[in-house]
Amino acid sequence: MMRLHCLGTAGYHPSETRHTSCYFVPEAGLVLDAGTGLFRLPPLLRTTHLDIFLSHAHLDHVIGLTYLLGLIPTTPVECVRIRGEAEKLQAVRQHLFSALIFPAQLDVQWLPLEKSDLQLPEKCVVSWFPLPHPGGSVGYRFQWPTRSLAYVTDTTADPIGNYIKQIQGVDLLLHECNFGDDQADWASKTGHSWTSRVASVAKVAKVRQLLLTHLDPRAPDHDPIGLAAAQAIFPATTVAHDGLVVPI
Ligand SMILES: [Zn+2]
Ligand SMILES: [Zn+2]
């Protein structure tokens, strides 16, 4: 069975209980985003390769790439592939790995996303799609023969958006929900999502399970986004927390 491990579930900056965006499927060596939560990777590794997919290059999604330099030599990992939009990879390499920002280069493959779908081991087909966000973001769908996972982060949830068809019917939709309904205006302004809109997306796309993440690190841990409002629209909704493990 494959499982999604939530290594970092905060948006923007870490809190005492949440690190920033990073998710891991150990059985597939699959990493979604590389926020500060990436430091939790080594004890979970099961493969000699890592496939890291970046949604975009905002710091809370890429800063953990710098941790790979120290982490990887202590693990059995021999091959690291980092994928994202070409201009985002270029920005990360030029700026985050500038000699003035970080002292060394990584021994990894930087692989820009191409137009067609991508095939990963375990018969996993990966497709991606653009998402509206300042600077742009991309969402991903990972389709195994009997399972599917969609990752949609840093965008304003839109039940009539172009990405609905891409995530249609997935077993697990991991979707950002940075804000509760009371901050819908602010969410719109900053290119993020609020609770009831994300739940509507899950309902319209007929997904099996919705997991809300990229949560405001300043919000209370017990109920950061008003879960009841989501469950009223889409009952199979849960809120992610660091350390949560979800079967896909
Ligand atoms: Zn973010
Ligand atoms: Zn962002």
Side-chain angles (χ1 to χ4, degrees), residues 10-12 21 56 58 60-61 133 153-154 176 178 192 214:
Y12 191 17
S21 295
H56 64 316
H58 284 166
D60 55 324
H61 299 257
H133 187 60
T153 197
D154 288 44
E176 83 129 281
N178 205 89
H192 287 290
H214 197 287

Side-chain angles (χ1 to χ4, degrees), residues 21-22 31-36 38 52 54 59-65:
S21 295
C22 191
V31 181
L32 307 178
D33 276 334
T36 61
L38 187 136
I52 302 177
L54 302 177
L59 281 174
D60 55 324
H61 299 257
V62 301
I63 194 163
L65 293 175

